[in-house]
Amino acid sequence: MWLNFGSFMMIWVLLILLLLSDKNNNVEGLGVNWGTQANHKLPPNTVVQMLKDNGIQKVKLFDADESTLSAFSGTNIEVMVAIPNGDLVAMLDYKRARKWVEKNVTRYHFKGGVNIKYVAVGNEPFLKSYNGTFENATFPALKNIQNALNEAGVGDTVKATVPLNADVYESPQGNPLPSAGRFRGDVADLMTQMVQFMSQNNAPFSVNIYPFLSLYGNPGFPVDYAFFDGGAVPIADNGIQYTNVFDANFDTLVSALKAAGFGDMPIIVGEVGWPTDGDINANVNNAIRFYRGLLPRLAANTGTPLRPGNIDMYLFGLLDEDAKSVAPGSFERHWGIFRYDGQPKFPMDLSGQNRDVYLVGAKNVKYLEKQWCEYNPNAKDTSKLMDNINFACTFADCTPLGYGSSCQNMDTNGNNSYAFNVYFQTQNQNLEACNFQGLARLTMQNISTPTCNFLVQIASSGLRVRTAVPVAFSLITASLYLFFYI
Ligand SMILES: *[C@@H]1O[C@H](CO)[C@@H](O)[C@H](O)[C@H]1NC(C)=O
Ligand SMILES: *[C@@H]1O[C@H](CO)[C@@H](O)[C@H](O)[C@H]1NC(C)=O
Ligand SMILES: *[C@@H]1O[C@H](CO)[C@@H](O)[C@H](O)[C@H]1NC(C)=O
Ligand SMILES: *[C@@H]1O[C@H](CO)[C@@H](O)[C@H](O)[C@H]1NC(C)=O
Ligand SMILES: *[C@@H]1O[C@H](CO)[C@@H](O)[C@H](O)[C@H]1NC(C)=O
């Protein structure tokens, strides 16, 4: 039978659609965390385009910044907005909570607006190291926000949840098995009440699980147990063989929920990932190994022994953030699957097939000039060198210089140059920032080494890219120049 022209065209259209959909055939339920604690930020539109180019459908934010949210307009990407811990107390006032919802959720709730799906109330507010600071505010804030969402008529589609650290549950010392999981003693009652409230509102439990931190925090931790390739000695629990800490951790939560009477509560993993610098175990090879285990499991809806099936997960994180606190460790600034400039760091296949492909990088990124600041080995007076290095590393990110990190193998001059350059770049290549009491000089040579990237910063949104710096300029120009660029 002959096809007429119409059906012939139809088949072509179907084929093309098939090809297009295959390109973005990403793991269902896969999201990313987009944190913005960076000295130089990519423009929100650039980042959102990058998400689209990679077929990423879900994003978790750490605030509800207007310019960020505007960039999501009309994209249909699912967004989780957030109330930072510091703002929780304010939400104890119901009127305030209602205003928050009005301004940061319902305002975007229209056709062609932003597809807001969750409000994260706080960020790991019960973390042990916070010593209970947010313990009293979190649950009332959660209630006020969900009630305000319900009152505004969006509660059916927008759910409030509290992204918690995995340290809110544990197994007892004597019986460290997933099946023995319970909520941590000091927050157990609170957790039970919160879970009950979220359950009534059909909101999911949200937890951050970090196999990297298990390894980082415990010198005796079996390395293979942090990954998914089955190399670890299994831990047996009621006939289940656990071969990775992610499953064991997740199922500890499932058991804790069950013990609290909410064994079927949906769980989303708010953060999971592996850093690439700042620690001996934080490197590209380990990150590749981790994601090559994680992504196919997501694609196959493997789930965990106690919760087989699809698990929604948000990778942590999208971009490196060079202004994050390093209190938890130097790795904290290197969680990105993309570098600071939106370029992919390593091969990664979001469809879970482990093909040797790279993510699509940010497009049309504007960089500062190709120039670097380096230590001047001819400097005569080096007595102030340490002071200057300390200064540079206080205001810029020197974590790649640390033990086990990408720049640890340089000589002293290389160390000095790294610190001077990263400060100079952080200061938008302001020439004043490459002096260091005569210890530094400008260079047009890329002084990177094979493992250590001496970066050239991106031009911040809103900052004009300077094309040339006048060699001689009048005092007035100079002072104006300083006025505008410092
Ligand atoms: C909306 O969110 C932004 C960013 O997180 C916050 O600064 C602002 O206070 C919120 N608006 C209201 C009315 O609470
Ligand atoms: C929590 O307590 C410890 C030990 O007393 C202290 O070192 C730390 O600074 C406290 N943290 C906060 C956030 O209060
Ligand atoms: C939380 O409330 C309890 C009981 O009212 C009080 O004892 C405790 O000091 C409060 N904690 C904080 C951090 O405010
Ligand atoms: C370079 O700096 C790092 C980090 O500050 C330090 O551990 C290392 O010893 C330094 N190397 C030299 C040769 O000074
Ligand atoms: C500098 O060299 C490094 C290593 O060869 C390279 O990765 C980087 O892209 C270069 N930087 C610039 C701005 O060209």
Side-chain angles (χ1 to χ4, degrees):
M1 201 188 109
W2 295 97
L3 296 171
N4 64 30
F5 184 70
S7 12
F8 181 75
M9 283 310 287
M10 192 103 113
I11 287 172
W12 267 111
V13 168
L14 279 176
L15 268 176
I16 288 167
L17 281 178
L18 217 88
L19 282 174
L20 282 178
S21 65
D22 186 52
K23 183 176 148 254
N24 284 344
N25 190 8
N26 285 346
V27 171
E28 200 195 324
L30 182 71
V32 292
N33 282 271
W34 175 10
T36 54
Q37 295 185 52
N39 281 309
H40 288 61
K41 301 182 206 359
L42 288 166
N45 286 324
T46 304
V47 177
V48 171
Q49 186 58 46
M50 190 169 101
L51 297 171
K52 288 203 265 182
D53 288 343
N54 289 292
I56 294 169
Q57 307 280 359
K58 297 174 190 233
V59 170
K60 178 168 169 282
L61 304 174
F62 293 90
D63 53 27
D65 181 72
E66 194 175 343
S67 60
T68 306
L69 283 172
S70 304
F72 284 106
S73 292
T75 61
N76 211 38
I77 292 175
E78 249 183 53
V79 179
M80 185 187 300
V81 290
I83 300 167
N85 289 339
D87 295 348
L88 289 176
V89 168
M91 298 304 140
L92 301 187
D93 173 5
Y94 183 65
K95 275 203 211 116
R96 214 27 216 94
R98 212 160 54 184
K99 245 197 192 146
W100 197 97
V101 165
E102 223 170 80
K103 186 89 195 308
N104 289 326
V105 179
T106 30
R107 182 155 69 103
Y108 302 100
H109 195 82
F110 58 92
K111 207 166 178 324
V114 184
N115 181 11
I116 296 176
K117 181 97 186 276
Y118 300 109
V119 178
V121 179
N123 184 33
E124 304 189 336
F126 301 157
L127 200 65
K128 263 189 239 163
S129 57
Y130 291 156
N131 304 336
T133 308
F134 306 111
E135 219 166 280
N136 292 348
T138 305
F139 184 33
L142 173 76
K143 282 194 279 197
N144 281 347
I145 292 293
Q146 185 67 61
N147 289 338
L149 290 166
N150 296 348
E151 191 188 334
V154 297
D156 282 347
T157 53
V158 189
K159 303 297 182 187
T161 184
V162 179
L164 291 155
N165 187 278
D167 76 352
V168 296
Y169 51 87
E170 58 200 4
S171 297
Q173 293 273 305
N175 184 19
L177 295 175
S179 59
R182 298 294 181 271
F183 287 123
R184 200 175 77 211
D186 62 314
V187 290
D189 288 343
L190 186 54
M191 285 301 304
T192 304
Q193 293 171 43
M194 255 174 46
V195 164
Q196 182 173 20
F197 178 81
M198 290 194 285
S199 174
Q200 280 162 1
N201 285 282
N202 291 316
F205 194 97
S206 173
V207 66
N208 302 339
I209 298 180
Y210 281 115
F212 169 80
L213 294 179
S214 305
L215 184 57
Y216 179 78
N218 307 291
F221 191 86
V223 176
D224 290 334
Y225 202 54
F227 299 94
F228 299 97
D229 27 33
V233 178
I235 291 173
D237 182 9
N238 288 330
I240 298 169
Q241 305 284 319
Y242 285 97
T243 56
N244 67 78
V245 70
F246 179 91
D247 280 355
N249 192 308
F250 190 96
D251 282 356
T252 305
L253 170 59
V254 174
S255 302
L257 283 169
K258 199 168 164 194
F262 298 90
D264 293 328
M265 182 154 195
I267 300 170
I268 59 181
V269 176
E271 299 181 9
V272 62
W274 200 278
T276 59
D277 207 352
D279 179 64
I280 192 85
N281 289 310
N283 53 56
V284 163
N285 285 342
N286 278 349
I288 291 174
R289 183 179 174 195
F290 185 75
Y291 287 118
R292 283 183 79 94
L294 181 73
L295 294 170
R297 286 166 47 106
L298 285 177
N301 286 332
T302 307
T304 67
L306 294 186
R307 276 285 180 94
N310 173 59
I311 300 175
D312 280 5
M313 292 195 195
Y314 294 82
L315 304 185
F316 194 92
L318 186 61
L319 297 156
D320 280 349
E321 296 173 82
D322 65 353
K324 278 193 92 172
S325 158
V326 289
S330 292
F331 55 82
E332 199 59 24
R333 293 175 175 171
H334 306 279
W335 287 101
I337 54 177
F338 291 96
R339 308 188 327 170
Y340 69 102
D341 58 354
Q343 303 313 309
K345 292 179 180 172
F346 48 81
M348 186 174 200
D349 182 0
L350 293 186
S351 74
Q353 301 169 64
N354 282 346
R355 294 169 305 171
D356 196 17
V357 292
Y358 279 79
L359 298 177
V360 181
K363 290 181 181 140
N364 305 318
V365 177
K366 297 207 170 45
Y367 292 88
L368 300 173
E369 284 175 73
K370 281 201 176 199
Q371 57 182 2
W372 292 259
C373 180
E374 66 177 357
Y375 174 66
N376 179 359
N378 305 323
K380 299 214 171 56
D381 180 6
T382 58
S383 60
K384 295 272 166 57
L385 182 58
M386 269 339 281
D387 290 347
N388 281 283
I389 300 278
N390 285 340
F391 176 81
C393 291
T394 301
F395 296 102
D397 177 30
C398 292
T399 54
L401 286 175
Y403 171 70
S405 304
S406 59
C407 300
Q408 76 156 355
N409 290 322
M410 291 185 301
D411 60 14
T412 314
N413 288 1
N415 271 4
N416 301 340
S417 293
Y418 190 89
F420 288 167
N421 180 63
V422 77
Y423 178 79
F424 172 64
Q425 302 293 338
T426 300
Q427 296 297 315
N428 295 313
Q429 299 189 351
N430 181 346
L431 289 189
E432 294 292 316
C434 184
N435 182 335
F436 294 102
Q437 300 184 289
L439 292 161
R441 67 185 184 194
L442 203 62
T443 175
M444 301 297 147
Q445 299 281 310
N446 184 346
I447 48 178
S448 299
T449 75
T451 57
C452 177
N453 184 33
F454 282 67
L455 57 87
V456 166
Q457 255 305 352
I458 53 174
S460 286
S461 341
L463 181 89
R464 194 158 53 87
V465 188
R466 277 176 293 130
T467 40
V469 177
V471 176
F473 43 78
S474 73
L475 210 62
I476 289 174
T477 331
S479 46
L480 276 176
Y481 179 86
L482 286 176
F483 182 78
F484 283 113
Y485 285 100
I486 281 189

